[in-house]
Amino acid sequence: MVKSGQRIRITFSKGGEIRYISHLDMMRLWKRALRRANVPLAYSKGFNPQPKISIAAPLAVGFTGEEEVMDTLLERPVSLTSFARSVKKQIPPGITLKEVREVYMALPSLQSQVRFAEYTVSPLDDEEIEGKIEALLAAEAIPRERRGKKYDLRPLIDDLRLEGSTLWMRLKHDAQGAGRPDEVLAALGLERAGKAIHRTRLIFASQL
Amino acid sequence: MFAGLDRRGYNPNWGLGVEVSEERLDQILSQVTKPARYTGGEWNSVVKDWDGVRTKVLLAYPDLYEVGMSNLGLMILYDLINKEDDFLAERAYTPWVDMEEALRGAKIPLYSLETRHALGDFDIIGFSLSYELNYTNILTMLDLAGIPLLSCQRSESHPLVIAGGSCAYNPEPLADFFDLFVIGEGEEVLLELVEAYGKWGKGERDQFLRRAAQIEGVYVPSLYEVAYEDGALGSPQPRTPEAKPVITRRILNRLPPPPTEVIVPYVEAVHDRGMIEIMRGCTRGCRFCQAGVIYRPLRERPVEEVLVAADELLKATGYEEVSLVSLSSCDHSQIEEMVRGLVTRHAPQQVTVSLPSLRVDSFSLGLATLFQGRRKTGLTFAPEAGSQRLREVINKGITEEDILSTAERAFRAGWQRIKLYFMLGLPTETREDVAAICDLVKRIWGMGREIGGRRAQVSISAATFVPKPHTPFQWMPLEGAASLKEKQAFLRRELKDFRLSWNDPQVTLLEAVLSRGDRRLGAVIHEAWRRGARFDAWDELFEPANWWEAFQDQGLDPDFYARRPLDRDAPLPWDHIDVGVKKGFLARECERALRGQTTPDCRGGPCFACGVLETFPGAREAARQGLWGCPPRVAGRGEDR
Ligand code: SF4
C-alpha cells in the first residue's frame, strides 16, 4: 500500500448501452478513463504493473446499477474537485459520476465489505405474482442449479416484495455467496427477457 | 441452425430501410454471448448527424468484432472519411452465429454500430478483405441486411457494395458479389470514389459503374469477361471500352498522418493496444511473401512524426501499450531512436512499447531489451525453414549462425521463452529440410537449458506454405495432402516434447484455392454459404464438408486450383491487376529460387527493377527526396542485372 497516497471512493451509475459490457470490460474502461484523465494512479509492483482499481460486487452483463462503488489508489493526494472534473470528461455515456470522496487508506478492501445488494425488476405482469412470492418466501429451501452446480437459493434471499409492478429484492452478497436476481426470477417462474434488472444499492458491513 | 434463411440466398421478406427496433434488439442482446460486440458507443467512435451529410459509408469487416477492431486499415479509413464534412463512416462486423440466429428470429436487419441504421440505408458498403477464410461472412452480412448477394441482382435502391484490402489483389473469386474493388492503398481513392458517388446522385447504377471504372485503381468486374479454354484458368478481358485492360494499384508517395483518436473498444480486442504504422512496404524479398510485394515501395514515417502521434494517441485513448507496426519494424532506419524516445517519454506512465515481429539478429535483441526492459515476456523469431539450402530458396537472408547466436544471446540476457516460426511444404522441400527444423529446434533448446536451466522454453509454429498471387511462388503447388500429413506427423513425433502448432490441412487447402481462384469460385462460395459455412477461419465452426460438397455441386476440383504447378506462360486470373511489381520480375525470382540463388535486399540499391519505380507517377521524385527505400535510378540495366 502506498503510504503517501490517497484512496478515492467513486460512486457511479451504470445504465444505457453500457449495461451490456462485462465486469472485466468495466475494469478496462475505468483503467483507460482514469489514464486519460491523467490522475496520478498508483500501480502494482512487478513486471506487469496494474493500476490499483477495485469495483465492488461485479454486476452481471445486461443489468444496470444505480450506485456502483469503486476504489482507486493514487500515488499522491489530489483535490477531489479537480479529480472529479477531469474524470467526468473521460467517461463514456451510460456512466455517471455520482460521488467522489476520500476514504482511509487503511480500510479493508471494498469487496470484503459488501454484505447485501438490492435490486428492482420491472415490469411484472403476472397476475399470480403475490402468491408466488409468498410461496417462495415460505419455502424451506429453493434448490437450483447454475452452471452445473447445485445450490440452495433460499438463504441468499433476505427480502422480496412487490411494489406496484416492480419486484424489489434484497439478496445476500458476501464471501459465502451472492444471490442473483435472474435466479430469483427463474425460481418464481418468470421470464428474464423483456425485463429491466436494476441494482439500486450495495450494502456494506459498516452500514449494518 | 439457420431456420429463417431463404435457400435461394437472401430473405426477401425484409425490405430495405427496415427500422431496427430497439425493443426487440434489447430482448435479444441479453441472450447472446458478449452483447457489447453489437452495441457500439465506444470511446472515440464518431456519431455524425445522419441527415447532415451527403454520402454515408458503412465500413464492414467480415469477421468478429474483436478481430475487426484490431484492423488498423479500417480505422485509418474511418478516421479519413469522418474528417470530411460531407461524408460519414460507420461500422459493422460479422455477428457471431448466436447473434445471426437471434437477428433472423427477431427480423432485425444487420445495423451500424454508430446510429443503428440498417446496412441497406447506407450509400456505400465497403468491405475490408484480409483473409480468404472470411469470404462467407461477407455473404452473411449482406444477407442479414436484406441486400441481394449478387451484384447483378442489385438495383439503384441498394447501396454500392465495394471491397478493398489485400485479398482484392486477386478479386476474381468474389467478382460476382461486389460492384467494384479498390486496388491498392485506399486513402485517396476511396475519398475520390465516395465523392464521385455523392455527385452522381441516384442515377443509373450501371452508368455509375462505367464512370467509376475510369478512376485509377478501381476495378469493376462486371465490365470484364473470362473465357475458360478447356476449363483452364483464364484472365479477365474488358468487354466494354470503359474497362481498362490493366488496373494499376494506387499508392501514396508519402504516408498520411496516422489516426490518433482511434476507437477504444469495451470488449477486449485481439490487439488491445494503440497502433502506429511506422513504415509501409518491405524490400527483403522473401519469395513466399505476398505482403512483401503488394506493399512496395518501402516508405518510412519520420521518427518525430511517430513520437508526436504516440503522444496524441495515448492521450486520446488511455492505452497502456503502443505497437509500432509495419511488416518488419526493426528495418526502420531510425527504429532505435524511436523506441528510445517512446520509452523515455512514456515509461513513467507505465506505457509499454511493442513491435509485432523481430528480426533474427543482435540489433533486434538490443531493441527488445530496450522496450521490454526487465519484463522479458518472450521472443518470437521466424527462420521459416530449417536448412540453409531451403532458406536460400525462399530468400530468407539469415544463416544458421545468426539464428543460433541470437538465441544464445537471448537466453544469456535472461529471456526464457522463444517461439520459432517455420513453414512446411515450401517449394523443393525434402525430408532432410524437415529434419533440419527438428535439429535446429533441439539445438536451440539445448542451449536454453544450458544457460537458463529448467525454465527455458522453445515453442514452434509450423504453418503450411500457401502459394499466393503476385509472389515469385505464385506458380508453385500446395503440397499434396498425403506428404504434408506425413511431414506434420514427423514433426509431431520428433518434437513431442515441445509446444507445436500446425494448420489443419483442410483449412490450408481452402485458403490456397480461394487465393489462386478464378471467377468460377463465386458459385462455390455462394453454395458453401448456403450449406451453412460460417466463420471458416474459426476451428470451432469450420465444417469442411460444406465446401467440398459445394465444389462437387459446381463440378470443380479444389486440387485443380491448389495443388497444380501453374504454367509460367499461361494466363492467370489476376493478370489484369498490376501491383507495380511485374510478372517478369516474379518469374525471374522464381527461377533464381529453383537454382538456389538468393537476391539481396534492394533497399538503397542496387535495384533489381521489380517494376515499382517504373509504374508509379512521381516515383523517381519521391525516391530522390529520400521518401522511398528505392534509389532514384534503376542501376545498370536492371532487366538482366
Ligand atoms: S524498384 Fe528496385 S529498389 Fe525499388 S523495390 Fe523494386 S527492386 Fe527494390
Side-chain angles (χ1 to χ4, degrees):
Chain A
M1 214 150 267
V2 194
K3 291 251 165 47
S4 58
Q6 186 180 28
R7 182 163 166 183
I8 291 186
R9 182 154 296 176
I10 298 174
T11 310
F12 64 96
S13 66
K14 178 186 184 189
E17 300 288 298
I18 286 280
R19 73 182 180 281
Y20 290 114
I21 75 172
S22 71
H23 176 66
L24 281 178
D25 297 339
M26 195 68 171
M27 292 288 288
R28 241 189 328 269
L29 181 160
W30 271 112
K31 175 162 100 180
R32 286 174 184 158
L34 291 170
R35 288 180 60 92
R36 288 194 298 266
N38 204 18
V39 295
L41 286 172
Y43 282 80
S44 63
K45 298 279 173 296
F47 289 155
N48 185 18
Q50 289 297 321
K52 300 201 169 179
I53 296 174
S54 66
I55 301 178
L59 191 60
V61 174
F63 299 3
T64 51
E66 191 63 40
E67 285 180 9
E68 298 296 297
V69 187
M70 172 178 120
D71 271 5
T72 181
L73 286 189
L74 300 187
E75 230 170 33
R76 54 172 193 277
V78 297
S79 112
L80 292 181
T81 355
S82 81
F83 179 91
R85 201 183 323 117
S86 31
V87 171
K88 251 186 199 147
K89 282 191 214 138
Q90 301 298 337
I91 47 179
I95 293 185
T96 322
L97 215 54
K98 303 199 105 177
E99 192 193 30
V100 173
R101 65 193 170 100
E102 182 166 2
V103 294
Y104 287 119
M105 293 286 275
L107 286 186
S109 86
L110 194 56
Q111 185 60 32
S112 69
Q113 297 305 297
V114 186
R115 293 295 176 268
F116 295 96
E118 293 177 357
Y119 297 88
T120 58
V121 180
S122 60
L124 287 194
D125 43 15
D126 188 328
E127 312 248 294
E128 291 136 42
I129 183 71
E130 304 254 13
K132 287 181 181 170
I133 292 175
E134 250 168 63
L136 201 70
L137 289 175
E140 286 278 305
I142 310 170
R144 302 252 342 138
E145 194 176 313
R146 192 176 144 71
R147 298 216 170 111
K149 267 172 68 186
K150 290 193 166 56
Y151 76 101
D152 181 6
L153 178 64
R154 184 62 193 89
L156 297 174
I157 304 177
D158 186 65
D159 200 357
L160 179 67
R161 65 173 179 264
L162 198 63
E163 293 183 343
S165 64
T166 301
L167 185 66
W168 178 94
M169 59 184 98
R170 185 192 295 126
L171 305 178
K172 270 234 172 75
H173 199 125
D174 57 26
Q176 272 74 55
R180 289 182 56 111
D182 44 348
E183 287 281 284
V184 177
L185 282 187
L188 288 169
L190 297 175
E191 284 261 1
R192 159 75 180 93
K195 294 188 179 61
I197 302 182
H198 188 57
R199 180 151 78 189
T200 48
R201 69 173 182 139
L202 291 168
I203 300 169
F204 293 89
S206 58
Q207 295 166 311
L208 292 179
Chain B
M1 185 196 288
F2 305 105
L5 182 60
D6 182 290
R7 286 283 141 186
R8 275 166 307 165
Y10 83 105
N11 195 330
N13 299 331
W14 314 345
L16 288 175
V18 174
E19 287 284 319
V20 180
S21 149
E22 293 289 328
E23 199 189 320
R24 270 180 290 151
L25 187 57
D26 263 355
Q27 296 214 355
I28 63 173
L29 283 176
S30 51
Q31 284 158 36
V32 297
T33 48
K34 295 205 188 171
R37 287 166 177 161
Y38 314 111
T39 49
E42 307 96 325
W43 193 254
N44 289 338
S45 57
V46 181
V47 182
K48 283 193 165 182
D49 175 17
W50 183 262
D51 298 314
V53 302
R54 192 175 57 202
T55 314
K56 303 164 185 93
V57 183
L58 186 280
L59 294 174
Y61 195 85
D63 203 339
L64 202 56
Y65 176 87
E66 290 93 311
V67 181
M69 277 307 291
S70 303
N71 186 279
L72 185 56
L74 204 74
M75 204 44 65
I76 292 176
L77 298 177
Y78 182 81
D79 182 64
L80 219 66
I81 297 173
N82 279 322
K83 281 204 171 112
E84 300 287 323
D85 290 339
D86 281 348
F87 313 147
L88 66 71
E90 304 192 1
R91 295 160 300 140
Y93 304 89
T94 314
W96 191 244
V97 279
D98 60 346
M99 183 63 170
E100 179 185 349
E101 220 186 331
L103 287 171
R104 289 187 192 284
K107 292 208 187 309
I108 301 173
L110 186 61
Y111 55 88
S112 67
L113 293 181
E114 279 76 4
T115 59
R116 302 237 166 124
H117 276 87
L119 262 51
D121 291 341
F122 285 81
D123 298 303
I124 299 177
I125 300 181
F127 279 88
S128 169
L129 309 175
S130 43
Y131 189 30
E132 292 80 4
L133 267 74
N134 289 340
Y135 287 176
T136 51
N137 291 348
I138 300 167
L139 305 195
T140 306
M141 292 176 79
L142 291 177
D143 185 63
L144 279 174
I147 297 170
L149 303 183
L150 301 179
S151 169
C152 63
Q153 294 170 336
R154 295 193 287 261
S155 68
E156 283 72 28
S157 63
H158 297 111
L160 192 69
V161 183
I162 71 175
S166 62
C167 291
Y169 294 107
N170 175 20
E172 291 310 293
L174 295 174
D176 295 348
F177 309 112
F178 287 104
D179 302 326
L180 63 85
F181 292 88
V182 168
I183 310 295
E185 297 170 358
E187 285 104 331
E188 286 173 357
V189 55
L190 187 59
L191 290 183
E192 288 166 28
L193 196 67
V194 176
E195 177 76 39
Y197 194 67
K199 289 219 173 101
W200 185 253
K202 282 279 177 190
E204 227 183 282
R205 185 184 183 83
D206 191 51
Q207 294 278 313
F208 175 75
L209 290 177
R210 281 165 200 267
R211 202 162 95 168
Q214 307 307 303
I215 301 176
E216 202 64 51
V218 169
Y219 170 51
V220 180
S222 56
L223 304 182
Y224 295 73
E225 62 197 353
V226 196
Y228 304 100
E229 279 173 43
D230 303 327
L233 294 174
S235 65
Q237 304 297 330
R239 63 176 186 82
T240 67
E242 293 90 349
K244 294 185 280 270
V246 167
I247 299 95
T248 307
R249 175 168 73 105
R250 286 287 291 267
I251 64 158
L252 302 170
N253 282 341
R254 191 193 284 266
L255 298 185
T260 51
E261 280 186 28
V262 296
I263 300 177
V264 185
Y266 296 129
V267 177
E268 189 172 8
V270 175
H271 298 303
D272 192 33
R273 56 184 86 101
M275 287 181 266
I276 297 177
E277 184 188 28
I278 61 166
M279 187 168 76
R280 210 174 274 184
C282 173
T283 48
R284 299 205 148 236
C286 297
R287 287 165 178 148
F288 55 83
C289 177
Q290 191 191 41
V293 174
I294 63 174
Y295 295 112
R296 280 189 186 201
L298 183 136
R299 289 145 292 169
E300 288 190 346
R301 191 183 297 290
V303 66
E304 307 76 41
E305 203 180 307
V306 174
L307 294 181
V308 172
D311 285 354
E312 289 171 9
L313 177 82
L314 293 166
K315 226 169 114 189
T317 59
Y319 275 130
E320 46 296 289
E321 181 177 345
V322 55
S323 180
L324 303 177
V325 303
S326 76
L327 294 171
S328 168
S329 293
C330 297
D331 286 343
H332 191 291
S333 60
Q334 294 167 299
I335 187 70
E336 192 172 341
E337 204 186 324
M338 198 183 297
V339 171
R340 247 180 231 291
L342 287 172
V343 171
T344 328
R345 277 152 96 137
H346 301 290
Q349 282 78 48
Q350 311 291 341
V351 172
T352 53
V353 178
S354 62
L355 307 187
S357 64
L358 283 183
R359 235 163 43 189
V360 188
D361 59 22
S362 59
F363 172 75
S364 309
L365 210 54
L367 267 185
T369 315
L370 209 58
F371 65 77
Q372 288 194 354
R374 288 183 307 129
R375 230 158 42 111
K376 302 223 160 63
T377 39
L379 294 174
T380 301
F381 296 116
E384 311 289 6
S387 70
Q388 194 58 33
R389 184 198 71 79
L390 193 51
R391 279 195 297 272
E392 278 164 16
V393 168
I394 64 175
N395 206 40
K396 185 86 193 177
I398 49 167
T399 62
E400 180 134 329
E401 175 57 30
D402 293 334
I403 302 169
L404 291 175
S405 69
T406 309
E408 182 181 345
R409 265 177 235 239
F411 285 124
R412 287 209 192 285
W415 272 281
Q416 286 157 355
R417 281 184 293 131
I418 291 188
K419 178 156 194 183
L420 299 168
Y421 278 88
F422 292 99
M423 263 191 270
L424 276 187
L426 284 162
T428 76
E429 184 185 68
T430 62
R431 282 291 293 266
E432 284 75 62
D433 297 310
V434 182
I437 294 179
C438 304
D439 289 345
L440 191 59
V441 167
K442 286 174 185 165
R443 283 178 69 183
I444 291 176
W445 185 69
M447 220 154 59
R449 292 292 289 236
E450 219 167 86
I451 302 165
R454 299 268 296 276
R455 277 178 303 177
Q457 253 185 51
V458 179
S459 59
I460 305 102
S461 154
T464 306
F465 160 73
V466 173
K468 294 274 169 164
H470 305 290
T471 64
F473 286 167
Q474 64 181 356
W475 295 279
M476 297 294 171
L478 173 74
E479 174 147 23
S483 62
L484 198 56
K485 275 199 183 126
E486 199 186 307
K487 286 177 179 173
Q488 289 182 336
F490 176 79
L491 277 191
R492 285 208 299 272
R493 219 170 33 242
E494 285 291 305
L495 300 176
K496 61 179 183 308
D497 301 328
F498 296 86
R499 192 181 300 201
L500 170 70
S501 64
W502 63 91
N503 297 129
D504 174 348
Q506 307 213 61
V507 173
T508 316
L509 175 58
L510 185 56
E511 184 186 336
V513 173
L514 294 174
S515 296
R516 293 203 307 191
D518 57 18
R519 245 177 224 210
R520 286 172 290 187
L521 291 189
V524 175
I525 297 169
H526 198 168
E527 180 57 27
W529 175 79
R530 265 194 297 240
R531 287 173 183 271
R534 297 291 187 281
F535 286 96
D536 300 297
W538 295 72
D539 284 350
E540 62 265 53
L541 291 183
F542 180 56
E543 283 178 33
N546 287 328
W547 284 95
W548 312 143
E549 284 162 17
F551 273 99
Q552 243 177 11
D553 209 78
Q554 297 301 318
L556 291 170
D557 174 16
D559 282 0
F560 167 81
Y561 290 99
R563 301 209 204 266
R564 234 168 18 110
L566 304 182
D567 186 345
R568 219 73 63 78
D569 305 314
L572 296 169
W574 52 93
D575 273 348
H576 60 311
I577 306 292
D578 177 7
V579 296
V581 175
K582 299 290 187 272
K583 200 175 179 181
F585 171 80
L586 298 176
R588 287 202 306 276
E589 277 298 293
C590 187
E591 274 149 32
R592 288 177 72 83
L594 297 178
R595 290 198 300 265
Q597 286 174 305
T598 57
T599 302
D601 189 333
C602 59
R603 186 165 186 183
C607 163
F608 302 115
C610 72
V612 160
L613 270 173
E614 289 83 46
T615 306
F616 299 109
R620 271 162 225 280
E621 181 53 25
R624 208 180 45 75
Q625 292 175 11
L627 294 171
W628 287 18
C630 308
R633 229 188 313 276
V634 179
R637 282 179 29 254
E639 270 305 304
D640 37 48
R641 261 178 269 181

